[in-house]
Amino acid sequence: MSDAPRPWNLVAELTYRCPLRCAYCSNPVGWRRVPERLDAPAWARVLGEAAELGVVHVGLTGGEPTLRDDLEAIVTAATRAGLHPHLVTAGTTLARSRLETLATCGLRSVQVSLQDVTAEASDAVAGRAFFEHKLACARDVRSLGLHLTLNVVLHRGNLGRVREIVALARAMGADRLELANVQLHGWALRNRVALLPARVQIESAAQVAREERRAAARPEIVFVLPDHFSGRPKPCMGGWGARTIVVDPSGRVLPCHGAAELANLAFWSVPERPLRACWSDAPGMNAFRGESWMQEPCRTCPERGHDFGGCRCQAFALAGDAAATDPACDRSALHGVVVDAVREAEDSASPALLYRDATSAT
Amino acid sequence: MSGAFERRLRTVLAERYHDRHPFNLRMHAGTLTPTELRTWVRNRYYYQTRIPIKDGIILAKAEAPEFRRAWVRRIHDHDGEHAGEGGLAQWLALAEAVGLDRGEVESLRLVLPGVRDACDDYVRLVTSSGLLESVAASLTEMSAATIMAERIAAFERHYPWVSEQGLRYFRSRTILARRDAEGGLRFVLENARTAAEQDRCVRVLERKCEILWRLLDAVEAASARPRLASAANLRSDAVSDADLVVLPERAVRLNSAGREILGLCDGAQSCEQIAAALRARHPEAEGVESDVHAFLGHMLRLGVLEAAP
């Protein structure tokens, strides 16, 4: 075995199926070609092996993980393995009675995604009418005494409502609010002009977040300046294959949820091999560990130790080379691509959103 | 125009001055324990020691002899004309009157890290600001005379065990603060002419209020009684000798010192008692109290610990 770092988190993508069609969905664009190959006993095996590797948290996510009718067995397996199970749901299909059962299986915390503060605006992004279901689900989480995180993806269309979003989170009794500036990968990249905000929107939202943090201790508010505007690349996943294991619905072991779409990287799968081997020894996993893969300017950059050259998927998408410096970095020779994208979005009226699974021709 | 500006400054004080801080309200309501009162006196002394230093920095920014002539009196007020006189000596008399050891207070050894940060931020704020803004930062004195008068009454009524000797600082500040505030306000009103200058003065006064508020936050936190948060799960790590605290959104690895401190967080002992207990266990180690308070503050912010009600 190589000297791979200790993983702390496992992201268990239980299914890519989802009743929503969010225009910035982070699942692979080619999700339909990924078969669901892991049943509950297979997941139980993966979770046990993850605990042996040092994993502490498991995020049960998707797609919509509650579409699996064996979720109870998977939560039970996580608890038995000594992991902290955390459910990441859109909250559209989770009845209170089922949530109660999941809590007795050991579920301790739930993240519910919200798209906006009104049904109309929320449905416009999600492509389906589920806003009230989501609020009801979040209320159920709190009333069962579980830890509640609300996650709202921020973009051009809702950045002006951060204050209202915080107020809603506070009214719901959320413990944590993640204000997640949209990441421009996959589906979101196709909607870049419609989603990319103006700089002034980002700045005033950041100010609101600061003020609201000062106003009350709860919820804990997470707001990170997005890489397209900060000039600094994001320290994606805390480093490639450094802290987090992603297992997709087919059992493929990845360093992040987008890595499967990078060309020419070989990843291994848990049905065929132990998790430890998939994490430590798969060629794809080792492709960008450490620093030897780096090119200039990353190779000699003083910041390479904490931003790791940025996001490999973004480098692949924008520079055509997954080993290139992330063009979000203002030291990248290709940073102009990002600057131009921001300018193009600023100068354009918002085009209509293209929902997940819509054909790109429309 | 300057009337509107003065109203803005007074609004900042009305809304943000630390007389509204819960710890100050409790002090004046008479519900502080002797330990809490001592903690405040000991820590506020660090702030007192910063005052003549920041006044020296302000002096060095001034071109006009008449400004310096007036401002230098503030340094004399705190340091005295001779040893044993002035505001700092009076504060040490207060420290003795509440039962603290004068040498310990003077050594600044037990100053809480949060208090040190807040006071150092004040000196930094003055250092990095222009003369006008530095003077604006001192305008919290406009509210000082009132708070001192309330404090004297509160001490006489609720803390009669503190001798009259101890109250001399408050009594002298009631007069001096009024004089200083009048001079400072006149200077700011005359010199902040543009809207931008006035905005900067308002902002700097807000930041000063924030600094005083943080000082009391830190003092208040020292008497909090921490315990493991209800959402936290303390367990041994599967792959190392460390202990882990697992929270919904993060895991915190504890080294042996962290484990020892956390072991004392039973919801009954205050942060100060915990720091004192660790000092007793490790009499030779340097900076134990400060490290313990910094660690406890960090764990409270991370959600590993919560304050018992």
Side-chain angles (χ1 to χ4, degrees):
Chain A
M1 186 190 124
S2 74
D3 49 357
R6 168 191 183 162
W8 287 85
N9 309 303
L10 181 86
V11 175
E13 296 183 327
L14 302 184
T15 178
Y16 284 145
R17 289 171 289 136
C18 183
L20 302 186
R21 306 161 64 209
C22 299
Y24 43 64
C25 178
S26 61
N27 286 165
V29 173
W31 71 270
R32 284 181 190 281
R33 293 191 298 275
V34 181
E36 269 175 45
R37 290 208 297 159
L38 304 186
D39 57 13
W43 276 113
R45 194 205 102 204
V46 170
L47 296 170
E49 292 180 20
E52 285 170 23
L53 285 173
V55 166
V56 171
H57 287 102
V58 54
L60 302 166
T61 174
E64 176 49 57
T66 60
L67 290 181
R68 287 194 60 140
D69 54 20
D70 54 2
L71 183 59
E72 290 78 356
I74 295 170
V75 170
T76 303
T79 312
R80 286 220 179 105
L83 301 175
H84 178 111
H86 175 70
L87 180 65
V88 180
T89 178
T92 55
T93 51
L94 183 53
R96 183 186 162 91
S97 56
R98 190 168 190 213
L99 193 55
E100 232 171 323
T101 308
L102 290 170
T104 61
C105 297
L107 187 68
R108 312 240 332 251
S109 57
V110 180
Q111 174 188 307
V112 178
S113 64
L114 291 181
Q115 279 66 33
D116 214 310
V117 291
T118 64
E120 190 190 4
S122 173
D123 301 346
V125 166
R128 292 275 191 270
F130 275 116
F131 183 66
E132 295 301 332
H133 292 77
K134 288 167 166 288
L135 294 188
C137 177
R139 274 187 218 108
D140 290 341
V141 170
R142 282 305 298 143
S143 69
L144 289 170
L146 302 172
H147 184 277
L148 172 65
T149 294
L150 293 177
N151 178 289
V152 184
V153 172
L154 297 181
H155 52 85
R156 176 196 279 221
N158 64 4
L159 264 161
R161 286 189 289 279
V162 168
R163 185 129 13 225
E164 290 83 348
I165 292 169
V166 175
L168 179 62
R170 212 162 263 154
M172 311 284 311
D175 298 286
R176 179 177 160 104
L177 172 63
E178 293 177 358
L179 298 168
N181 280 292
V182 63
Q183 307 266 335
L184 297 164
H185 305 293
W187 305 99
L189 192 54
R190 298 181 172 191
N191 283 302
R192 185 163 73 179
V193 173
L195 294 173
L196 246 185
R199 180 175 296 279
V200 49
Q201 284 185 289
I202 294 280
E203 282 165 3
S204 62
Q207 175 62 23
V208 170
R210 274 195 295 274
E211 289 169 14
E212 293 292 345
R213 257 186 222 125
R214 235 177 290 146
R218 272 173 29 124
E220 178 187 356
I221 298 174
V222 181
F223 179 96
V224 180
L225 212 56
D227 60 358
H228 276 48
F229 297 86
S230 64
R232 299 260 60 83
K234 54 180 178 266
C236 202
M237 306 301 288
W240 181 275
R243 301 183 56 84
T244 299
I245 306 179
V246 177
V247 180
D248 82 3
S250 74
R252 192 163 37 173
V253 177
L254 302 164
C256 74
H257 51 259
E261 302 207 279
L262 296 183
N264 304 322
L265 288 181
F267 295 106
W268 294 348
S269 299
V270 281
E272 286 80 40
R273 288 188 172 88
L275 181 66
R276 183 182 293 274
C278 297
W279 166 253
S280 303
D281 302 331
M285 272 293 180
N286 283 312
F288 304 113
R289 279 192 171 127
E291 296 179 352
S292 58
W293 56 273
M294 286 182 179
Q295 308 171 356
E296 289 297 345
C298 290
R299 188 192 293 276
T300 52
C301 179
E303 294 181 44
R304 67 186 184 279
H306 72 255
D307 66 26
F308 322 109
C311 168
R312 297 303 90 226
C313 301
Q314 188 153 277
F316 181 70
L318 300 184
D321 177 2
T325 297
D326 183 344
C329 179
D330 59 16
R331 291 167 200 174
S332 158
L334 294 169
H335 185 56
V337 175
V338 168
V339 174
D340 290 346
V342 171
R343 191 173 307 135
E344 185 198 349
E346 293 227 357
D347 294 344
S348 311
S350 255
L353 288 171
L354 201 64
Y355 294 114
R356 161 169 150 159
D357 297 340
T359 53
S360 52
T362 57
Chain B
M1 165 130 173
S2 93
F5 175 43
E6 184 177 339
R7 269 197 302 281
R8 283 176 71 195
L9 295 169
R10 290 189 187 278
T11 303
V12 170
L13 293 173
E15 290 175 354
R16 306 190 187 206
Y17 189 57
H18 65 174
D19 58 343
R20 299 167 60 125
H21 192 285
F23 189 88
N24 190 65
L25 294 175
R26 286 180 51 221
M27 185 193 305
H28 289 188
T31 59
L32 292 188
T33 63
T35 306
E36 287 175 314
L37 196 61
R38 281 180 203 118
T39 302
W40 174 71
V41 170
R42 170 193 291 129
N43 281 280
R44 171 77 194 199
Y45 180 70
Y46 186 63
Y47 181 82
Q48 300 302 127
T49 64
R50 299 304 94 184
I51 296 174
I53 290 172
K54 68 92 188 163
D55 281 327
I57 295 167
I58 291 177
L59 267 186
K61 294 175 192 280
E63 287 288 346
E66 57 273 27
F67 179 92
R68 291 198 299 264
R69 209 175 296 125
W71 202 269
V72 75
R73 285 191 309 202
R74 294 171 179 243
I75 297 181
H76 294 314
D77 289 344
H78 283 276
D79 291 341
E81 300 286 346
H82 305 281
E85 299 174 356
L88 284 174
Q90 287 169 349
W91 196 275
L92 290 171
L94 170 64
E96 287 184 316
V98 298
L100 289 167
D101 177 74
R102 180 192 178 98
E104 176 257 290
V105 175
E106 257 188 308
S107 77
L108 307 177
R109 191 171 61 80
L110 296 182
V111 173
L112 296 161
V115 169
R116 201 176 276 272
D117 286 348
C119 298
D120 291 350
D121 275 353
Y122 183 30
V123 175
R124 269 192 289 273
L125 176 66
V126 168
T127 305
S128 63
S129 300
L131 177 63
L132 173 63
E133 292 83 2
S134 305
V135 174
S138 76
L139 291 182
T140 44
E141 274 168 343
M142 290 161 65
S143 296
T146 314
I147 203 175
M148 290 301 164
E150 288 170 8
R151 197 162 281 163
I152 292 165
F155 269 71
E156 286 176 340
R157 174 146 180 232
H158 301 299
Y159 311 103
W161 50 275
V162 180
S163 71
E164 174 58 30
Q165 275 297 320
L167 305 186
R168 277 175 49 216
Y169 177 81
F170 303 146
R171 292 199 193 284
S172 67
R173 282 315 293 170
T174 317
I175 300 151
L176 295 175
R178 194 163 286 132
R179 179 203 73 197
D180 290 350
E182 279 167 12
L185 179 62
R186 202 176 319 116
F187 180 84
V188 169
L189 293 182
E190 281 168 10
N191 288 278
R193 296 202 188 88
T194 69
E197 285 168 340
Q198 296 183 355
D199 287 347
R200 283 206 299 277
C201 289
V202 169
R203 258 201 313 275
V204 95
L205 185 58
E206 287 172 352
R207 283 188 59 189
K208 169 69 178 302
C209 287
E210 213 171 88
I211 284 165
L212 290 171
W213 198 274
R214 275 166 53 203
L215 191 161
L216 289 185
D217 278 348
V219 169
E220 190 175 43
S223 55
R225 291 169 292 121
R227 65 181 182 201
L228 199 65
S230 58
N233 179 16
L234 176 64
R235 62 178 182 77
S236 57
D237 190 6
V239 297
S240 76
D241 296 334
D243 277 346
L244 293 180
V245 180
V246 180
L247 293 161
E249 309 286 351
R250 55 178 67 90
V252 179
R253 198 165 14 182
L254 299 173
N255 60 17
S256 59
R259 205 162 16 191
E260 186 180 5
I261 300 171
L262 225 57
L264 296 174
C265 296
D266 56 4
Q269 301 188 75
S270 70
C271 294
E272 282 211 310
Q273 288 170 318
I274 293 167
L278 283 152
R279 161 58 67 199
R281 284 190 200 174
H282 305 281
E284 262 87 65
E286 247 177 70
V288 169
E289 292 87 352
S290 171
D291 287 352
V292 170
H293 284 294
F295 176 80
L296 292 173
H298 189 49
M299 292 299 118
L300 282 160
R301 276 191 297 280
L302 284 178
V304 169
L305 294 172
E306 63 190 13

